Structure formats: structure tokens, C-alpha cells
Amino acid sequence: MNGDTRKVRVFIAGPFFDQEQIARIQRLENALSRNPQVAEFYSARFHQNQQYPWGSKEWRKVVFNLDLYALRRADVVVAIHDYEGKSTDSGTAFELGYAYAYQKPII
């Protein structure tokens, strides 16, 4: 970035457990897909590995590892914080911490 004209890979961090959260994620996905500076984006809601029962040990392991891989590949993380109920989604919080540890820019 910083004057670099190459296209970037974006990791979307944010909850998608209800219709309002999904609508926010979809607006971000739509904006990123129209942005000529974005090569690709990773949105976890598209990578839920439905071959495993949701929430099963196998599902958690596959989703977790896929998310970590996508985070490491990303050039930048765009986060949607959801502070409803005075808390944030634990998955989003983890993704932000992981991105920070890898010195990824976070928006």
C-alpha cells in the first residue's frame, strides 16, 4: 500500500449470526468486489465447510485452520465490530489479535 499500485487481498473480520450482521458483511463484500484495488477478499461466511456438522470438532478445526491461512495471506484486515450487548464476537476479536500479531494493517 503506501503508494504501491498492486492489488490487495482483504480478510473480512466480523460476525454473521443474524440478518443485520449478514447485511453489514454483504455491504462490505459488495464494496470490496467493486473496488479496483482489491484482488480478492476472504469472507468466512462463504467457507463454512458444510461437509461437517456445524460446530462439530471436525468443522471447528477445518474452519479455524482455513481462517488462519486466509489471515496470513491477507494484505489487510477489514473488521466490522459488533458491540451489541456490550461485547464483541469472540471470533472477530481473535482474528483482530492474530492480524495484529502478524502486523497486518487493520481497518
Side-chain angles (χ1 to χ4, degrees):
M1 304 195 299
N2 293 342
D4 191 351
T5 58
R6 71 183 176 93
K7 292 185 176 191
V8 296
R9 290 187 299 258
V10 178
F11 183 96
I12 297 173
F16 49 95
F17 299 111
D18 63 34
Q19 289 305 317
E20 183 179 338
Q21 292 172 339
I22 292 168
R24 284 189 296 228
I25 295 285
Q26 287 174 326
R27 286 192 301 271
L28 178 55
E29 292 164 349
N30 290 335
L32 291 172
S33 61
R34 290 189 309 269
N35 187 322
Q37 299 305 315
V38 174
E40 63 185 63
F41 64 84
Y42 178 88
S43 184
R45 71 186 197 94
F46 295 126
H47 303 277
Q48 291 299 301
N49 295 286
Q50 295 177 353
Q51 69 269 30
Y52 301 109
W54 188 90
S56 68
K57 184 177 180 179
E58 296 85 3
W59 177 88
R60 289 191 313 263
K61 183 177 180 179
V62 170
V63 168
F64 180 74
N65 287 320
L66 186 56
D67 284 359
L68 295 184
Y69 174 74
L71 274 163
R72 287 190 303 270
R73 282 189 76 233
D75 299 304
V76 64
V77 174
V78 177
I80 298 176
H81 293 270
D82 188 344
Y83 287 108
E84 293 296 318
K86 298 181 183 177
S87 65
T88 188
D89 173 55
S90 60
T92 303
F94 174 84
E95 290 163 349
L96 292 175
Y98 196 84
Y100 179 81
Y102 274 85
Q103 300 178 352
K104 303 287 181 178
I106 299 170
I107 300 170

